[in-house]
Amino acid sequence: MSSNNVVVLDNGAGLIKAGIGGNLDPTAILPNCLARPLSSKKFLHLSDLNATAAFDLTSAAVRRPLDRGYLINPDLQREIWSNLFSNVLKINPSHSSLLLVEPLFNLPSLQRAADELVFEEFGFESLFVADSPSLVHLYEASRSRPSNGVSEQASLVVDCGFSFTHAAPVFQNFTVNYAVKRLDLGGKALTNYLKELVSYRAVNVMDETFIMDDVKEKLCFVSLDVARDLQVARKPGRDNYFRCTYVLPDGVTHTKGFVKDPDEANRCLTSKDGAPKDDMEYPEVTEKAEDRKRVDLTKNEFSLTNERFLVPEMIFRPADLGMNQAGLAECIVRAVNSCHVYLHPVLYESIILTGGSSLFPRFAERLERELRPLVPDDYQVKITTQEDPILGVWRGGSLLASSPDFETMCVTKAEYEELGSARCRRRFFH
Amino acid sequence: MDEDTTTSNMLRRMSSRTRKVATKMVAALASSDNRTQAALARLEALENDNPGAEMIEINSDDDASLDDEDQVYTKKQSKSTKRKTRQAKALENAKKAPRTFLELLHEANLESLPPHLPSYLRAAVGPPSSTTRRHFCTVCGFTAKYTCVRCGMRFCAIRCQNIHNDTRCLKFVA
Ligand SMILES: [Zn+2]
Ligand SMILES: [Zn+2]
């Protein structure tokens, strides 16, 4: 049964995506952390995304096994995996192979620790270590059709994740690692930046990791014209179509935060370029008005205007934050320029956008607008967005795990025991 | 959840939002180059798991967290082992607290690799080609032309400057 039981594990710093190779989607998507709600003395497992609804995670502390994208705390990761394998996936590692997705440029000491975890602690039968850009390329190339411009030969995978953002050229299914460029900004920093802005301007939310992730995911978007949008965000009343209100949980009537008036919040997203049409009507719903009254009494809410686009803006201009790093468009150009000139046009017309932080509305459009002037006129720029940017890596892994020669690519437990981590690792990279 | 627990949770929630001070900011502002330090501390804080947890409560008698404010983990450890001696605590923390990625990176000594080998360090995108930095007002978010001489925060106009001086300047510090 070994050959048909491959556990595919995209062990993200933010989310774990895990399931069985060959399936279309992972069995489980869960936060890669333990959380301690205010009502608990212990750190608890969050066995799936819905479990976050089971607890009141207001002001919950979190412990993550990954720091800046890398697995630095194997003890904590073991606890989380152990729960994942036995209670969520319900698999027996000693009868399974593991396809583990590892960040690019992992340190040898961390690779060794990961191998120990896989073979010595869990006793997997065999292991294959993959990097995310090659899996994303594999998945998109396999779906290649006229409407999807992804070249089977090469693509440029832009992975905007939790800890960082990579622009990685992939050529014939291998990540061209000498050309990869990394920007040290991802979803975690953006959430923390949003916390900082709201805490400074309205109410202290520095402890509210889960709530502010929700605010970011529901309300932030990428501006196509920052100067114009800043002017609009200054206007009073309804003319400021960015203004919206988020209600914090009060721990009594609701344990989750929510957007007070979603219609109001979505006004700025209804038109093509970010300015809503004048003739739109916004009917007031009585039920909502009552909600609002009840909520106002708690004073436990804050409104957002320009924060909604100033937060994702940092991916495009890290310098505004005081970081000495180029923005995403330049990051892509530098990655392409590090490849053979023959590949440049192929890469520019086969850019694949993936990762949870690429989900902000208008992300791809803004990127294209910034990229176009930096690319030679006779090259096309084509950005492909994934059907589900959070699952793209996992789906590529699932595809690879179900290919006929997958087992031969793996390192077995016996080989690991005989050769050790470092020599086994050489097999995974070229 | 009974009513008492609910109330106490609400109180904790409220107090944790108001009675805090950022130790790093205090340290930064006490140093000679306040503004640079504060800016660095701020960037560093963007990668923290529990940015709030590095703040200490003003009336807190638990000074263990000051020993190692980088380790959010340490503070939690110290809370759960309150009755132990400082020494025992320190020992336990040294054993349990995992090293950060930056420490491990330093240990890996990637600088000594031959320059043609791809590595974490070589993959960094590098500085932007244009050094122009846009500044946003810390009060309202609008484009900010002015800098507060005391704390380095930005503001856009006299109106925001007044709000800044009255209620925001050194807010996370005083
Ligand atoms: Zn202002
Ligand atoms: Zn000031």
Side-chain angles (χ1 to χ4, degrees), chain A residues 234, chain B residues 136-144 154-161 163:
Chain A
R234 245 188 162 181
Chain B
F136 302 108
C137 174
T138 49
V139 177
C140 70
F142 197 68
T143 311
R154 293 279 177 153
F155 48 85
C156 66
I158 288 181
R159 197 179 142 268
C160 284
Q161 183 182 17
I163 296 174

Side-chain angles (χ1 to χ4, degrees), chain A residues 79-211:
Chain A
E79 277 183 57
I80 295 171
W81 282 0
S82 185
N83 175 63
L84 172 73
F85 298 146
S86 19
N87 302 329
V88 184
L89 297 182
K90 300 186 167 56
I91 56 107
N92 180 353
S94 54
H95 295 121
S96 313
S97 300
L98 179 68
L99 187 157
L100 179 64
V101 183
E102 195 176 73
L104 291 160
F105 311 112
N106 199 4
L107 305 176
S109 62
L110 300 181
Q111 290 178 329
R112 209 177 314 125
D115 289 347
E116 275 173 29
L117 204 53
V118 169
F119 286 122
E120 294 173 30
E121 303 270 357
F122 288 102
F124 274 96
E125 241 175 21
S126 60
L127 168 71
F128 182 76
V129 174
D131 64 64
S132 30
S134 60
L135 294 181
V136 168
H137 170 83
L138 181 72
Y139 179 70
E140 289 300 329
S142 78
R143 294 157 48 86
S144 203
R145 50 186 193 277
S147 64
N148 161 346
V150 175
S151 149
E152 280 182 50
Q153 182 200 20
S155 64
L156 186 97
V157 176
V158 176
D159 186 349
C160 206
F162 183 76
S163 305
F164 37 43
T165 297
H166 282 107
V170 180
F171 180 64
Q172 291 176 345
N173 286 333
F174 284 106
T175 301
V176 185
N177 55 12
Y178 59 82
V180 171
K181 295 293 169 210
R182 182 191 68 250
L183 165 59
D184 291 315
L185 267 180
K188 182 188 197 173
L190 295 185
T191 297
N192 280 340
Y193 182 49
L194 181 62
K195 282 181 189 174
E196 194 186 290
L197 291 181
V198 172
S199 300
Y200 194 71
R201 293 175 192 171
V203 50
N204 188 345
V205 289
M206 292 307 283
D207 288 331
E208 310 304 344
T209 301
F210 295 93
I211 295 171

Side-chain angles (χ1 to χ4, degrees), chain A residues 134-339:
Chain A
S134 60
L135 294 181
V136 168
H137 170 83
L138 181 72
Y139 179 70
E140 289 300 329
S142 78
R143 294 157 48 86
S144 203
R145 50 186 193 277
S147 64
N148 161 346
V150 175
S151 149
E152 280 182 50
Q153 182 200 20
S155 64
L156 186 97
V157 176
V158 176
D159 186 349
C160 206
F162 183 76
S163 305
F164 37 43
T165 297
H166 282 107
V170 180
F171 180 64
Q172 291 176 345
N173 286 333
F174 284 106
T175 301
V176 185
N177 55 12
Y178 59 82
V180 171
K181 295 293 169 210
R182 182 191 68 250
L183 165 59
D184 291 315
L185 267 180
K188 182 188 197 173
L190 295 185
T191 297
N192 280 340
Y193 182 49
L194 181 62
K195 282 181 189 174
E196 194 186 290
L197 291 181
V198 172
S199 300
Y200 194 71
R201 293 175 192 171
V203 50
N204 188 345
V205 289
M206 292 307 283
D207 288 331
E208 310 304 344
T209 301
F210 295 93
I211 295 171
M212 296 313 283
D213 268 341
D214 185 56
V215 175
K216 179 187 75 177
E217 287 161 20
K218 294 207 173 105
L219 295 173
C220 287
F221 63 91
V222 175
S223 169
L224 296 180
D225 184 342
V226 177
R228 176 199 68 190
D229 288 349
L230 277 173
Q231 291 290 354
V232 173
R234 245 188 162 181
K235 292 181 181 172
R238 287 195 75 78
D239 288 340
N240 177 355
Y241 45 79
F242 298 123
R243 188 183 300 283
C244 62
T245 303
Y246 189 87
V247 182
L248 291 164
D250 61 3
V252 182
T253 60
H254 50 283
T255 57
K256 293 281 160 274
F258 56 92
V259 177
K260 199 167 178 180
D261 183 347
D263 292 337
E264 176 191 56
N266 289 330
R267 278 185 297 165
C268 56
L269 301 177
T270 50
S271 75
K272 209 159 179 277
D273 67 342
K277 293 174 212 121
D278 291 334
D279 57 351
M280 282 198 55
E281 277 185 40
Y282 313 104
E284 295 276 312
V285 185
T286 26
E287 194 190 17
K288 270 189 194 130
E290 271 167 28
D291 261 0
R292 205 169 307 170
K293 218 187 288 169
R294 193 183 71 218
V295 160
D296 273 347
L297 292 172
T298 72
K299 301 264 190 251
N300 230 352
E301 58 181 44
F302 56 85
S303 68
L304 292 175
T305 57
N306 51 35
E307 298 84 358
R308 297 179 67 186
F309 56 88
L310 289 180
V311 168
E313 185 64 20
M314 296 306 134
I315 298 273
F316 295 92
R317 298 290 160 81
D320 291 350
L321 260 184
M323 285 178 78
N324 192 24
Q325 293 206 318
L328 185 55
E330 267 198 300
C331 188
I332 291 172
V333 172
R334 288 177 195 184
V336 171
N337 286 344
S338 308
C339 294

